[in-house]
Amino acid sequence: MFTDANNHINSGHTPSSATAIHSNAYNLDKAIRRAQEQLLSLQSPEGYWVFELEADCTIPSEYIMMMHYIGEVDEPLQAKIANYLRSRQSEDGSYPLFTGGLGDISCSVKVYYALKMAGDSIDAPHMTRLRNYILSQGGAAKANVFTRIALATFKQLPWRGVPYIPVEIMLFPKWFPFHLDKVSYWSRTVMVPLFILCTLKATAKNPGNVDILELFVTHPDKERHYFPERTLLNKIFLALDNLGRLTRPLIPNKMHKRAIEKATDWFVERLNGEDGLGAIFPAMVNSYEAMLLLGFPKDHEHVVTARKAIDKLLVVNEHDAYCQPCLSPVWDTALAALALQEVDKESNGQSLTRAYDWLKSKQLSDEPGDWRISRPDLQGGGWAFQFANPHYPDVDDTAVVAFAMADSNLSDLDASIHQATRWIAGMQSKNGGYGAFDVDNTRYYLNEIPFADHGALLDPPTSDVSARCAMLMARVAKDHDEYLPALERTIAYLRSEQEADGSWYGRWGTNYVYGTWSVLLGLEQTNLPKTDPMFTKAAAWLKSVQRPDGGWGEDNYSYDDSSYSGKYRFSTAFQTAWAVIGLMAAGFAHSPEVKAGIDFLLRHQQADGVWNDKCFTAPGFPKVFYLKYHGYDKFFPLWALARYRNELNKK
């Protein structure tokens, strides 16, 4: 039996129907008001919202390693990061990629090295457990490519243990099987400075001369299995890798210098001020270290600014600290605005106006961007995910921001809405879907190159991004039919992507619950009847995976094994909100499943008006890198509660 927000247990007295309805409505309104007030209090004076964005322990470890690479260690900060790392260790000694996940050897190796750099004794119990886990997995030689590159710069393994990625790649013609334009934005920004670091065999200063040879089963100089052969295509790429190493001495010095200059010019153009290259931590660190390796003085404007961009990602608390992978103000602001609009557009008008004034100031137009390579004649109009990242507007963010604007009923937003919608329509891939940053970024053979053992080199169309593009185009197409052809192609793409059980895969949020919510919310804006199988099958699936407590929860394991689809050890507020909103979008607002989901949210709201979901909420890259959006349990449950109240109030 599901209880009300105050968690009272029925002791035998059954209130009248009218009293129960009044009580439930009171609890619902009270919960909405408390969550609304808390969310409003978190808005910045400039108008945006930005919440912490937490990843696994890889990035905090890399921050410590960066300090030792350049030989300048902030001891108090290092101590706080080490505290954070120790607190995240699993019982078996390992470090997972998300809370409750299996240990990951690559993350574990970096944490071990960082803690040893911070002064932890290898005989300390937590270090012994961590080392035993790493050795049980085959040792540090089994870590991924990015970890092995880091170890090579610290002379912990030979350079033959990392892929051959010469800077001369910058000179490849566009028709060549591998070219920068053929991989994702995040791959480009990470790889270009990395070409320089690897080609010039960067060497860390390592002032403490810290080594981790105890993490290798076979001495790294004698190891012969750094590159396991996976597929026939992978074997071919490994053969080409070996050929490249053999022919390295034949590359003319003039060509080498030209490649260095081209790579340097490429990333310097995109340094992006204090928001950093690509506005993502790995690219920022690579560019910072590459500039120092190339001889840029430490007080050079680019070097100083690059370091400021990195340090802006730090979250420093009283006793611990960690480094975020990036910042998410545009995404957070758009979703917070949608939640507040569902609550009350009029009473929240002042807050929303400030939010949209800030968002309008961040809309991109004529700025240079890598997306223009495939769409040179398309006018800009997108938004980046971060405070600033003009070369890389985000299709997903753009669709959400423009839809929120269209939904707000505020004036002076039409120009921004249509500029964004035209850009969205123009960024459609051939199959009718949408990637996050690029068009037709689908050369899947590139995931077989030795460098791509993470399997995240590309940015193909996905259902969740495509659904939000459909949501925007359908909303705007009600008055402007120029977007209808693109919308129809997107709907066809979404229909083709629906799983047999009725769900959709979620690329940018965990996982099938997120994908299904995304598509249902998008389809709701179209003219499709609610009797369409896309609606009915999806709703049936959501109902089928509801947990006994009335909530929903899905584990990141579902990215590795689809049998975990819609399943988790416990329910979460944000995933329950997704499911409830999805069911209401499909026409099931008055179903018992929605009522049970709302009761779950009411029971688990905290005294401060928000919820407290401790689990990770989204993949950066499925199976490889996961994120916790600290804002998800603040605006999604509020959105769900307000939508439910509004549905009940409809006549």
Side-chain angles (χ1 to χ4, degrees), residues 314-495:
L314 288 168
V315 175
V316 181
N317 303 310
E318 183 179 357
H319 300 294
D320 65 7
Y322 74 93
C323 189
Q324 301 172 95
C326 61
L327 302 174
S328 55
V330 171
W331 184 244
D332 291 340
T333 300
L335 292 169
L338 279 168
L340 290 172
Q341 283 166 202
E342 193 69 56
V343 174
D344 190 334
K345 294 174 184 176
E346 290 189 11
S347 67
N348 290 318
Q350 184 177 0
S351 173
L352 293 168
T353 298
R354 286 167 47 220
Y356 291 127
D357 284 345
W358 181 81
L359 285 168
K360 282 197 296 182
S361 74
K362 297 297 180 181
Q363 188 170 21
L364 301 169
S365 181
D366 297 326
E367 296 84 353
D370 287 5
W371 61 271
R372 294 184 184 277
I373 294 168
S374 59
R375 291 292 186 269
D377 299 322
L378 180 62
Q379 182 184 357
W383 278 271
F385 179 77
Q386 304 90 350
F387 282 104
N389 196 9
H391 273 80
Y392 304 107
D394 187 318
V395 171
D396 206 2
D397 284 66
T398 301
V400 172
V401 171
F403 176 81
M405 286 181 167
D407 179 69
S408 71
N409 297 334
L410 293 173
S411 59
D412 300 324
L413 295 176
D414 282 353
S416 289
I417 294 167
H418 286 289
Q419 188 179 354
T421 311
R422 291 189 184 100
W423 184 73
I424 288 290
M427 290 293 288
Q428 190 171 43
S429 290
K430 293 176 183 176
N431 64 2
Y434 288 86
F437 300 92
D438 289 293
V439 178
D440 293 316
N441 198 250
T442 54
R443 292 172 175 85
Y444 294 104
Y445 65 87
L446 291 175
N447 279 328
E448 298 298 327
I449 66 176
F451 176 80
D453 63 352
H454 56 297
L457 207 64
L458 305 174
D459 179 20
T462 62
S463 296
D464 44 359
V465 177
S466 302
R468 280 182 279 280
C469 293
M471 180 173 69
L472 170 63
M473 290 188 292
R475 177 62 177 260
V476 181
K478 292 173 182 177
D479 300 312
H480 301 269
D481 59 8
E482 65 181 283
Y483 307 115
L484 286 176
L487 172 61
E488 291 171 358
R489 291 192 296 271
T490 305
I491 292 173
Y493 167 80
L494 293 172
R495 192 178 296 278

Side-chain angles (χ1 to χ4, degrees), residues 168-361:
E168 287 76 18
I169 288 173
M170 297 298 301
L171 305 178
F172 286 176
K174 287 184 179 292
W175 55 262
F176 202 74
F178 182 90
H179 189 275
L180 282 182
D181 297 348
K182 296 178 180 179
V183 298
S184 65
Y185 120 70
W186 55 83
S187 299
R188 292 193 289 275
T189 55
V190 169
M191 290 173 72
V192 172
L194 201 60
F195 293 160
I196 295 172
L197 293 169
C198 290
T199 301
L200 300 183
K201 294 183 170 57
T203 302
K205 291 190 176 180
N206 196 8
N209 197 28
V210 181
D211 70 71
I212 51 167
L213 293 179
E214 67 269 19
L215 295 186
F216 289 87
V217 174
T218 302
H219 193 282
D221 289 339
K222 298 179 180 180
E223 177 65 58
R224 292 291 180 268
H225 302 287
Y226 285 113
F227 300 100
E229 296 177 347
R230 303 191 302 270
T231 64
L232 176 60
L233 186 56
N234 179 247
K235 292 179 181 179
I236 294 172
F237 279 125
L238 284 172
L240 292 174
D241 185 275
N242 290 328
L243 179 63
R245 296 176 195 269
L246 291 172
T247 58
R248 175 80 211 167
L250 304 178
I251 297 176
N253 190 50
K254 185 176 181 180
M255 178 183 292
H256 173 71
K257 288 182 177 179
R258 184 155 54 93
I260 290 281
E261 291 173 358
K262 188 169 183 179
T264 305
D265 290 344
W266 190 94
F267 77 73
V268 166
E269 177 192 339
R270 295 163 174 77
L271 279 177
N272 191 29
E274 291 189 13
D275 292 285
L277 177 62
I280 51 176
F281 176 84
M284 294 183 203
V285 172
N286 288 348
S287 62
Y288 175 60
E289 294 180 353
M291 285 188 286
L292 293 173
L293 182 62
L294 291 170
F296 283 63
K298 286 186 177 180
D299 61 354
H300 190 287
E301 178 186 1
H302 291 333
V303 176
V304 172
T305 304
R307 181 56 186 269
K308 286 181 179 178
I310 294 168
D311 289 346
K312 282 174 65 175
L313 297 175
L314 288 168
V315 175
V316 181
N317 303 310
E318 183 179 357
H319 300 294
D320 65 7
Y322 74 93
C323 189
Q324 301 172 95
C326 61
L327 302 174
S328 55
V330 171
W331 184 244
D332 291 340
T333 300
L335 292 169
L338 279 168
L340 290 172
Q341 283 166 202
E342 193 69 56
V343 174
D344 190 334
K345 294 174 184 176
E346 290 189 11
S347 67
N348 290 318
Q350 184 177 0
S351 173
L352 293 168
T353 298
R354 286 167 47 220
Y356 291 127
D357 284 345
W358 181 81
L359 285 168
K360 282 197 296 182
S361 74

Side-chain angles (χ1 to χ4, degrees), residues 83-100:
N83 286 341
Y84 175 89
L85 293 174
R86 294 186 205 102
S87 70
R88 264 58 181 179
Q89 189 173 28
S90 295
E91 289 185 7
D92 66 355
S94 70
Y95 281 81
L97 297 180
F98 55 89
T99 304

Side-chain angles (χ1 to χ4, degrees), residues 30 81 119 227 258 290 366 408 435 471 481 505 523-524 571 611-612 628 632:
K30 181 180 177 182
I81 296 175
F227 300 100
R258 184 155 54 93
D366 297 326
S408 71
M471 180 173 69
D481 59 8
Y505 178 86
L523 293 178
E524 183 185 24
S571 300
W611 289 258
N612 186 24
K628 178 181 178 181
Y632 277 18

